[in-house]
Amino acid sequence: MRALVHDAGLDDQIEIDSAGTGAWHVGSAPDERATAAAAGRGIALDGVARRVGAADFDDFDLLIAMDSANLRDLRALAASDDQRAKVRLLREFDPSADGAGDLDVPDPYYGAGDGFERVLEMVDAACRGLLAQIRSGELS
């Protein structure tokens, strides 16, 4: 998403951060396989993992979950209905996933070697859809 926002010239208008619902990888760099898959597309993954905090619900307009378990966890952390409404599944924004039923992005961590490539395809499609909705004013 950062690369898409940068390529669109919207770095100064859209703030992006990444955080998890668990503390398993706090302080760690992105997975080497994810970094390699992204680098193959000219995308740099950087930063260190952190955990979602209560302030994130005030600081961000959207909190995007990769799967239904994270969606449930984020909604449980929300302090109000307004905050819960900010939580969405990433693949909700992928036009090709419309009507797919299962909108979870699978976790490639324990999967086959091409899992990170397949996940990148899903994430890229959804991020493009999200950016299109932001730019069209559908999401404000």
Side-chain angles (χ1 to χ4, degrees), residues 30-48:
D31 185 282
E32 291 176 7
R33 296 163 296 172
T35 301
R41 296 166 184 250
I43 299 170
L45 297 183
D46 55 10
V48 295

Side-chain angles (χ1 to χ4, degrees), residues 44-122:
L45 297 183
D46 55 10
V48 295
R50 71 174 186 87
R51 191 170 187 179
V52 173
D56 290 320
F57 289 91
D58 294 324
D59 294 343
F60 295 98
D61 296 324
L62 285 174
L63 282 82
I64 305 294
M66 298 298 269
D67 61 36
S68 53
N70 291 141
L71 180 77
R72 185 176 50 252
D73 292 345
L74 286 168
R75 287 183 174 161
L77 289 172
S80 68
D81 287 340
D82 286 342
Q83 287 185 351
R84 274 184 284 286
K86 293 180 174 189
V87 181
R88 306 274 299 274
L89 280 170
L90 177 64
R91 290 196 63 220
E92 288 178 38
F93 301 100
D94 179 355
S96 69
D98 189 29
D102 180 10
L103 295 178
D104 285 0
V105 174
D107 185 349
Y109 191 80
Y110 295 108
D114 68 341
F116 285 90
E117 288 294 336
R118 287 194 332 260
V119 164
L120 267 174
E121 288 294 327
M122 290 176 146

